[in-house]
Amino acid sequence: MRDPNAPPIRLLLVEDNPGDARLVRALLAETGGFELSYAETMADAKTWLIDNDADVVLLDLSLPDSHGLETIDAMRKLAPLLPIVVFTGLADEDVGVAAVKRGCQDYLVKGVGDGHLISRTVLYAIERKTLEIERLQSADRMKKVLLQTVRAVSLTLEIRDPYTAGHQRRVAQLAVAIGRQMGWSEHTLEGLQTGALIHDLGKISVPSDFLSRPGKLSDAAFGVVRSHAAVGAEIVDGIDFPWPVATMIRQHHERLDGSGYPLGLTAESIIPEARILAVADVVEAISSHRPYRPALGMDAALAEIHDHCATRYDPEVVQACETVIRSQGEAVFGEVGLGF
Ligand SMILES: [Fe+2]
C-alpha cells in the first residue's frame, strides 16, 4: 500500500483516443495517488515535457505522428530518464515483449485489468527505471576510477623514465584516433586507450640506463629491453579488465610477418588492438625526440609504416593512420582522449 502522504505520481498519458484516456482516468481515480496529464501526439508530449516534469509515461504505440515500436525510440530520445509503460490496444504479448526489449520498463494491454493493475505496473516501472539509472551511474563511477588508476600507473612509469614521458599518452591519443577512423565502438576504444596508456609498463623492470643510452645496446641489454612486453603483460594479467589489456601489452611489438617479439607471432594470432598499438607506437617513437637521437619527423614515421605495410603492419591500420595524420597532422597526439 502506498504511503498516503506520498506526493502523487505524475503520469503523462500519451494517447490520442479520448475514450481510452477517459478510461485510464476513471480507473486510476479508483486507486488514487496519481496526477494525470495528457498529450495526444508525440509533438504535444515534446512541448509538454519542456515545461513540465513527469514521473512516468504511459505510451500508446499508435499516435497520429508516430507508429509502432519507433514511438518508443522517439519517447526515449525525448526523455531518456523517464520510465515508460507501453499502453497497447493490440492484445498481443509479442508487442509488449518487443517494447520491453526496446527499453520500456513494462506494458499494459488496453481493456485488460483494473486501476490497481495499472497502478502496480506503473509503480514497478518507476522502481525498475530507478535501479537501472543507479546501476549505470555506478558502472560509470567504476569506469572513471579505473581510468584514473590506469593514468596514475602510466604517470608512475613516466616519472621514472622521463625520456619517454608523454610517449604512452601520445600513443593512446593516436591509437584511439586510428580505431575511431576504423569505425570501432566507444567501448572497444576505451579498452584500446587503456592498453595504450600502460603499454610500456614492463619498462619498470628495465634499468633506466638501458632506456636512455645513446648508441647501440649489447645483445644482452637489448634482450632485457625486449622483455618489457611480457613483463608488462604479466603485471596486469590478474586484473579483470573488460578488455584484453594484457594481450595488447604482450603483443604490441609483434609484427604480422613474425619478425616481432616476444613470441614472433604472425598475422592471425595478433589481436586487432595490438595491431593498432604497433603502428601508433612506432609512428610516435619515430616522429618524436629520443635521448639517443633527435626526432626523425613525421615523414620518416609515415615512410616506415608505408614501406612495411602488410609485412610488419596491418594494411587497414596503416591506411587509417595515414588518413588521420593527413587530416590532423601532429595535432592528433594532443587531441583530448575519451572522456570516460
Ligand atoms: Fe614498447
Side-chain angles (χ1 to χ4, degrees):
M1 193 182 293
R2 280 196 81 221
D3 176 349
N5 290 314
I9 290 167
R10 298 163 300 176
L11 187 149
L12 173 62
L13 174 61
V14 187
E15 168 64 76
D16 62 323
N17 184 321
D20 289 335
R22 266 198 304 275
L23 184 64
V24 171
R25 174 184 284 279
L27 290 174
L28 286 181
E30 288 171 20
T31 65
F34 286 88
E35 182 186 302
L36 255 68
S37 302
Y38 302 95
E40 290 186 1
T41 61
M42 279 307 281
D44 283 352
K46 190 175 178 179
T47 312
W48 189 88
L49 282 165
I50 291 171
D51 295 320
N52 302 278
D53 281 331
D55 297 310
V56 61
V57 177
L58 189 51
L59 181 66
D60 180 20
L61 286 189
S62 171
L63 298 168
D65 56 353
S66 184
H67 298 277
L69 294 173
E70 279 169 24
T71 309
I72 297 170
D73 299 342
M75 181 50 76
R76 289 191 69 200
K77 211 169 148 200
L78 209 58
L81 300 179
L82 268 189
I84 302 170
V85 175
V86 156
F87 197 36
T88 172
L90 321 159
D92 183 354
E93 198 78 19
D94 292 345
V95 173
V97 173
V100 171
K101 276 193 184 146
R102 202 89 166 205
C104 286
Q105 276 57 52
D106 214 333
Y107 66 96
L108 283 163
V109 178
K110 289 179 185 176
V112 176
D114 56 7
H116 292 285
L117 177 70
I118 300 178
S119 169
R120 210 168 45 237
T121 305
V122 163
L123 289 175
Y124 280 142
I126 294 171
E127 208 171 294
R128 222 168 290 147
K129 185 69 180 183
T130 307
L131 288 174
E132 191 186 308
I133 292 169
E134 280 172 6
R135 190 177 51 76
L136 287 175
Q137 285 171 340
S138 123
D140 210 45
R141 265 196 307 276
M142 286 305 294
K143 232 178 189 181
K144 278 200 181 103
V145 170
L146 179 63
L147 182 67
Q148 285 160 352
T149 311
V150 166
R151 283 204 173 121
V153 171
S154 182
L155 277 175
T156 307
L157 181 67
E158 290 180 3
I159 288 165
R160 177 180 176 265
D161 174 20
Y163 295 109
T164 51
H167 167 68
Q168 296 183 113
R169 188 185 44 75
R170 288 158 60 89
V171 169
Q173 306 279 29
L174 177 56
V176 168
I178 294 172
R180 189 167 277 140
Q181 173 69 28
M182 287 166 61
W184 285 14
S185 71
E186 288 302 297
H187 174 76
T188 312
L189 292 179
E190 287 168 5
L192 180 62
Q193 183 183 41
T194 303
L197 278 172
I198 49 173
H199 73 274
D200 275 340
L201 180 60
K203 284 189 177 167
I204 203 95
S205 70
V206 178
S208 27
D209 170 51
F210 289 6
L211 300 174
S212 57
R213 192 184 292 173
K216 214 173 173 304
L217 290 174
S218 69
D219 285 351
F222 195 47
V224 174
V225 173
R226 283 160 64 123
S227 71
H228 80 275
V231 171
E234 271 167 38
I235 292 172
V236 302
D237 228 1
I239 303 177
D240 193 15
F241 284 110
W243 312 283
V245 174
T247 310
M248 290 181 218
I249 295 174
R250 185 175 289 109
Q251 296 185 349
H252 80 274
H253 283 287
E254 298 288 0
R255 301 292 179 252
L256 296 194
D257 58 6
S259 63
Y261 63 86
L263 298 175
L265 298 178
T266 48
E268 57 284 355
S269 314
I270 305 172
I271 62 168
E273 289 92 335
R275 294 170 189 225
I276 291 188
L277 278 189
V279 168
D281 188 21
V282 87
V283 167
E284 200 288 325
I286 293 178
S287 63
S288 301
H289 169 78
R290 284 290 174 274
Y292 42 86
R293 58 151 175 80
L296 299 175
M298 188 54 87
D299 288 346
L302 290 176
E304 160 70 18
I305 57 168
H306 183 79
D307 292 349
H308 302 286
C309 179
T311 48
R312 291 180 191 166
Y313 309 110
D314 187 303
E316 200 191 335
V317 177
V318 168
Q319 201 188 8
C321 182
E322 286 171 347
T323 307
V324 163
I325 301 276
R326 222 177 294 129
S327 68
Q328 301 182 41
E330 299 218 17
V332 71
F333 294 129
E335 189 192 277
V336 177
L338 298 170
F340 83 103

